[in-house]
Amino acid sequence: AYAIYSTGGDNLISNSKIKIAMQAPGNDDMGCMGINLSGSTSFTINDTSIAMESLDTGISFAGKLSISGSALTIKDATEYAVVAGQTEILNGSELNISSQSGQALQAAGQKVTISHSSVNLVSTQSSAMFCNDIEIIDSSELAAKGNGVSLFVGNDTVIRNSYVDAVGENNVGIYCEGSAEITDSEVKSLSEKELGGFRVLGDITIKDSDITSSGNSDNDSIYAGGSISITGGTTEIGTGSSSAGKDIYIGGVISSNGVPSYDNIKNDSGNLSFLEADYSKVDSAVKKAEALDGKDYTNFVAVEEALEAADKGRPLPFWEQDVVDGYADAIEKALA
């Protein structure tokens, strides 16, 4: 039933190479597990390579799992690949784990931290990952594909300076019941059936990141039950919409199939606002004009007309920056 079995305490595997290939997956009595740590407090894997195949579950226990500078491969576990409590994947670790009826990585009720590491998760019949909180930081890469929701997060999601590619075959790519913060990252959250890519019940905050999310006319590409704030970067929403229950602030490029567009943005209540274009060049030209006495010039009316045009409809949104810069150029030309 088990290749390695420990019934408690703190467990460590360091500077080792382990291969586990079980002989009886589908064991009805006990389940066929690679490493079973029932009742254990922690399991630490340092500078080690572990490969498992032909089993029901790869690693199973409820304590803290810490993987540092290690490689973990679990191939097609018939149930779960990894079941643990709080999980840390650190210091250049590489995980390639896949499962069938259960999640590839389950940390139900606990937090998963991925730092400076690469993780590839696949579940053919369930979510790729199920956890309470997730933090993906420090140039990490996460690729996840699940039959339903790819990444199911019971509370908050944080992605910083990293790359995430989450694909849900029959549901959204990323589902988060708390809030989501994405900074300096590239995130793809897709549904193969275009059922929406990114669904968050709290707030979504995106800063200087490139986002790709799927959707269609019936399914929001990005949905937040709270507010949405997007600053910098490009957010691609395909044929879907960006939708929020509260305020929406847009200070980055929103594109639909590669074309910048700000039409498919909607909220049930609250304000919809956009970053204003930079008027610093216009303001500088206006000061020059105000320093002159129009009575001293025979053609000062050209300056007045340029000033009036620049003031009309002010302020314009950030995507009209070329228009605003044109106003400044027109004033400068009239002054000349």
Side-chain angles (χ1 to χ4, degrees):
Y2 317 132
I4 297 174
Y5 184 36
S6 175
T7 59
D10 298 310
N11 300 271
L12 168 68
I13 297 177
S14 182
N15 297 301
S16 301
K17 183 176 182 180
I18 296 173
K19 181 177 181 180
I20 296 174
M22 304 297 281
Q23 297 182 1
N27 185 310
D28 293 333
D29 295 330
M30 304 178 73
C32 183
M33 299 181 186
I35 300 176
N36 183 10
L37 307 175
S38 176
S40 295
T41 302
S42 69
F43 180 28
T44 300
I45 303 171
N46 283 337
D47 300 318
T48 287
S49 172
I50 299 177
M52 304 186 198
E53 61 183 16
S54 185
L55 38 70
D56 292 325
T57 298
I59 297 174
S60 178
F61 84 124
K64 179 180 178 180
L65 173 62
S66 179
I67 302 173
S68 178
S70 297
L72 174 63
T73 301
I74 301 174
K75 183 178 179 181
D76 295 331
T78 61
E79 295 179 7
Y80 300 89
V82 174
V83 177
Q86 179 182 348
T87 300
E88 298 177 343
I89 303 166
L90 315 170
N91 301 323
S93 292
E94 296 185 11
L95 273 65
N96 289 282
I97 58 179
S98 58
S99 62
Q100 297 177 25
S101 64
Q103 291 92 23
L105 175 57
Q106 183 192 108
Q110 298 292 331
K111 181 178 181 179
V112 173
T113 299
I114 303 173
S115 175
H116 190 58
S117 295
S118 174
V119 177
N120 184 28
L121 308 174
V122 177
S123 176
T124 57
Q125 300 174 37
S126 184
S127 299
M129 182 191 296
F130 177 40
C131 63
N132 195 50
D133 295 274
I134 187 169
E135 185 177 50
I136 305 167
I137 58 176
D138 299 330
S139 301
S140 291
E141 296 185 5
L142 170 63
K145 185 172 184 179
N147 178 264
V149 174
S150 182
L151 299 182
F152 192 110
V153 184
N155 195 24
D156 295 335
T157 297
V158 174
I159 303 171
R160 295 189 189 126
N161 190 32
S162 294
Y163 173 81
V164 174
D165 186 350
V167 179
E169 292 185 32
N170 297 294
N171 212 313
V172 300
I174 298 175
Y175 175 83
C176 175
E177 294 186 340
S179 295
E181 173 197 326
I182 302 172
T183 305
D184 295 323
S185 297
E186 181 180 355
V187 177
K188 297 179 181 179
S189 184
L190 308 174
S191 168
E192 289 190 346
K193 294 188 176 180
E194 294 188 342
L195 298 176
F198 202 6
R199 184 173 181 84
V200 176
L201 302 190
D203 299 329
I204 297 176
T205 303
I206 299 171
K207 298 178 181 179
D208 300 321
S209 298
D210 292 328
I211 310 296
T212 302
S213 188
S214 61
N216 55 37
S217 58
D218 296 322
N219 296 280
D220 297 321
S221 297
I222 296 176
Y223 170 82
S227 299
I228 293 177
S229 175
I230 300 175
T231 305
T234 299
T235 301
E236 168 63 53
I237 59 175
T239 58
S241 302
S242 295
S243 176
K246 297 182 180 179
D247 296 340
I248 297 180
Y249 171 76
I250 303 296
V253 177
I254 307 296
S255 65
S256 297
N257 294 326
V259 179
S261 174
Y262 302 89
D263 297 328
N264 296 324
I265 301 172
K266 56 186 180 181
N267 55 342
D268 297 331
S269 62
N271 297 315
L272 172 59
S273 59
F274 299 93
L275 174 69
E276 296 177 4
D278 182 1
Y279 273 79
S280 59
K281 291 182 179 179
V282 171
D283 294 338
S284 177
V286 169
K287 286 183 178 180
K288 293 179 183 179
E290 290 176 342
L292 302 178
D293 186 347
K295 295 178 182 179
D296 295 337
Y297 302 91
T298 59
N299 60 345
F300 199 76
V301 65
V303 175
E304 293 173 337
E305 290 174 349
L307 291 172
E308 183 179 356
D311 192 55
K312 187 177 181 180
R314 180 171 177 161
L316 292 177
F318 70 94
W319 63 83
E320 300 275 17
Q321 187 64 55
D322 289 346
V323 176
V324 173
D325 290 343
Y327 291 149
D329 291 342
I331 296 171
E332 294 284 2
K333 184 177 180 181
L335 287 172

